[in-house]
Amino acid sequence: MNAPPTLPKSKQQLILAVLMLCSVLIWLDNTVLSTTLETLADPVRGIAADPGELQWATGSYTLAFATLMFTAGALGDRFGHRTVFFGGVVVFAASSLWAAYATDAGQLIAARAAMGVGSALITPAMLAILMWTFTGPARAAAIGIFSTSAGVGMAAGPVLAGFLLAHFHWGSVFLVNVPVSAVALAGIAVLVPNFRSPTRRPLDPAGMLLSIGGLVALVYGLIRAGQVAAWSRTDVWAPILAGLVLLAAFVVVELRVKAPGFDPRLLAHRTFGGGNLALGLLLFGVAAITFYNAFYLQGALGFSPMAAGLANIPTAAGALVGAPLAARLVRRRSVRPVAVPALTVAALTMGAYAFLDVQTPLVWIEVLLFVQGLAIGMVIGPVTAALIGHLPLAQAGAGSAVTNTVRQAGSVIGIAVGGTILSIGYRRAIEPALVGLPGPVQEQARVSAEQARHAAPGLAGAADDAFVHAMHTGAGWIAAIALLGAGVLLVTLPAGKKRGPVAEHDETHAAEAVAAPASRP
């Protein structure tokens, strides 16, 4: 099908409903995991996963998503977006079933990676179908409605996870994806035409393999450092070095390809390159601090999964308020005076975790989470739209691929680095409390605060204190990195207001910014 057909309005609305269902499903999956981390670490209620395994369970999904999404877009051009969309939902549902019945951390990590593959197939196909189904003013309205799926998923995910964890086995947070996917598959099969681009983008297997290999090696080395509490070991620095070499080779290969899936040349544009770097640094911070938040609420403060889910609602509420507020402010002024202060505030809220402890009143935590969500919401939408708006229309698709890859890479590296700082800080802080205890108890307590609480009842207080100390250290580093992103935006974004009407490809990317979840691990 080389031209978008004129579909009846009723069918357009039904297609939009199917797309929103799938988008909510992806956002739910991203948010339920953060609420489940504490349970997975528990030796009794979960699978006794150590911090490194939880980093992989979180990061494997994002890593697969980051490295496969631009290839998935090319597959849609070749075989039809409905075909790829359908296949992605099947992979996502099957891997969710696998994750639900995983018996150890290794199986869960592999299942999460497979879920990332499914999401990578779903997202570009979903966006392409949205753009082919609607045209003109109806497209802008459809994008606005579609964008609400992010807020629904962010708000409902933690609460749904809390309810399921309170009443069922932890695998239920993944099992719930299966019936929803079945409904989506029926809708795709019956309603969605197999839209196909008249221009087939070439596949990029070399780039895909190099990017996967580079990120896997880099992340492995970073997480390994936290597991062994050292940076000088060969099994830490060698994978990090190998990962950097492979990523450099990936850039060289993409520069030589005529139609690369990831075009590094676009990063030479000052605004585009600097803005993407800033977004990557922001999402580095968001992923790391969200990882901390999961263990702080349920571990150190002792919240139930349901209470922790409800406590996280202000983050979603803030993001829902921040995105439209920023859009109105940008129309009156420009992106830089809105995004730079917002990113600065977001960084400061991450640094504010250095002042939280086991005695902090809940009201202050809720205020902090709301302001954090508000600030993040005021950065991501305006900046992503501005970046694509500074590229020629013909490069909008390539620009979207670069932006989403950078965002996802920032998230997975943030989880790796943030978790490693937390692990090393915790091990050093817990040591004084382990003197005189039996060797097996010491070894178990060094793994994580969750393990320490079960190793010996008397270690619970020391474990909480050690975790909070490590969180304070990590929060300072995370805030500094996010603040660097604000500085990059200040230098690279133009000071003046963009003139002329908003290009249609800005609208496309606004939808893509919503559908490619990267703000929460």
Side-chain angles (χ1 to χ4, degrees):
M1 187 176 296
N2 293 333
T6 302
L7 299 175
K9 186 175 181 179
S10 58
K11 188 170 185 177
Q12 289 180 331
Q13 292 172 340
L14 289 172
I15 291 174
L16 179 59
V18 172
L19 298 179
M20 289 188 66
L21 178 65
C22 292
S23 180
V24 169
L25 182 65
I26 292 175
W27 273 101
L28 280 173
D29 181 72
N30 275 265
T31 53
V32 298
L33 182 63
S34 61
T35 307
T36 313
L37 291 175
E38 177 73 20
T39 301
L40 292 172
D42 192 288
V44 177
R45 295 178 297 137
I47 54 177
D50 64 40
E53 290 168 336
L54 294 175
Q55 286 170 273
W56 275 115
T58 304
S60 62
Y61 175 99
T62 309
L63 195 151
F65 191 96
T67 54
L68 295 177
M69 192 167 68
F70 54 81
T71 300
L75 290 174
D77 291 341
R78 284 174 173 262
F79 302 109
H81 295 294
R82 183 185 65 185
T83 301
V84 174
F85 190 16
F86 192 94
V89 176
V90 169
V91 171
F92 188 84
S95 51
S96 294
L97 188 63
W98 182 12
Y101 292 102
T103 56
D104 56 45
Q107 291 184 26
L108 179 62
I109 291 166
R112 287 289 297 168
M115 292 173 73
V117 173
S119 293
L121 294 172
I122 290 169
T123 300
M126 185 166 55
L127 297 167
I129 290 167
L130 179 70
M131 304 310 293
W132 281 73
T133 301
F134 298 92
T135 58
R139 177 181 293 172
I143 288 173
I145 297 171
F146 180 76
S147 299
T148 62
S149 61
V152 172
M154 287 177 63
V159 179
L160 175 63
F163 173 81
L164 292 173
L165 291 171
H167 295 87
F168 305 101
H169 178 257
W170 62 262
S172 61
V173 301
F174 301 114
L175 193 62
V176 72
N177 295 336
V178 177
V180 179
S181 297
V183 174
L185 288 171
I188 294 168
V190 173
L191 297 169
V192 179
N194 199 22
F195 300 115
R196 186 176 303 175
S197 173
T199 304
R200 293 188 177 186
R201 282 183 286 163
L203 300 177
D204 186 12
M208 180 182 69
L209 292 175
L210 285 170
S211 62
I212 292 173
L215 279 175
V216 168
L218 177 61
V219 170
Y220 174 84
L222 293 171
I223 293 177
R224 185 62 179 160
Q227 292 175 320
V228 300
W231 293 95
S232 58
R233 290 178 42 152
T234 304
D235 57 349
V236 172
W237 63 260
I240 292 175
L241 180 61
L244 294 173
V245 170
L246 288 172
L247 291 175
F250 165 67
V251 172
V252 171
V253 168
E254 295 300 280
L255 287 171
R256 294 181 178 180
V257 174
K258 184 176 180 181
F262 178 98
D263 191 352
R265 300 172 189 86
L266 297 178
L267 297 174
H269 294 263
R270 178 180 173 180
T271 298
F272 188 81
N276 273 291
L277 175 59
L279 284 179
L281 293 172
L282 169 63
L283 291 166
F284 173 103
V286 170
I289 210 68
T290 303
F291 192 77
Y292 288 13
N293 178 66
F295 297 103
Y296 173 64
L297 292 179
Q298 294 185 55
L301 298 186
F303 284 18
S304 69
M306 174 62 83
L310 292 171
N312 277 305
I313 288 180
T315 306
L320 287 173
V321 173
L325 174 61
R328 287 194 293 270
L329 292 174
V330 168
R331 282 195 294 268
R332 294 178 181 178
R333 305 185 69 184
S334 66
V335 176
R336 191 170 78 169
V338 174
V340 172
L343 183 44
T344 302
V345 171
L348 293 176
T349 63
M350 296 171 193
Y353 274 70
F355 300 96
L356 302 180
D357 57 34
V358 294
Q359 302 297 330
T360 302
L362 178 59
V363 63
W364 292 117
I365 299 172
E366 298 298 89
V367 170
L368 176 64
L369 292 177
F370 177 80
V371 174
Q372 186 175 93
L374 179 73
I376 293 168
M378 293 181 69
V379 175
I380 294 179
V383 172
T384 49
L387 297 185
I388 300 302
H390 278 83
L391 294 178
L393 180 59
Q395 293 181 309
S400 295
V402 170
T403 297
N404 278 305
T405 301
V406 170
R407 286 167 50 182
Q408 300 291 339
S411 294
V412 72
I413 294 173
I415 294 166
V417 173
T420 291
I421 294 173
L422 187 69
S423 294
I424 293 174
Y426 167 79
R427 286 191 178 194
R428 291 175 178 172
I430 196 66
E431 281 299 331
L434 303 182
V435 176
L437 294 177
V441 173
Q442 291 189 27
E443 288 302 313
Q444 184 177 357
R446 288 189 185 104
V447 173
S448 66
E450 288 68 36
Q451 297 279 353
R453 296 183 191 105
H454 286 275
L459 281 178
D464 290 342
D465 292 340
F467 169 82
V468 169
H469 170 79
M471 182 180 72
H472 289 172
T473 302
W477 285 103
I478 293 166
I481 290 169
L483 276 174
L484 180 60
V488 171
L489 278 186
L490 180 64
V491 172
T492 58
L493 285 183
K497 186 175 181 180
K498 181 181 175 183
R499 300 185 181 278
V502 177
E504 188 173 79
H505 63 283
D506 283 5
E507 296 176 357
T508 305
H509 194 69
E512 190 158 337
V514 170
S519 61
R520 297 180 66 88

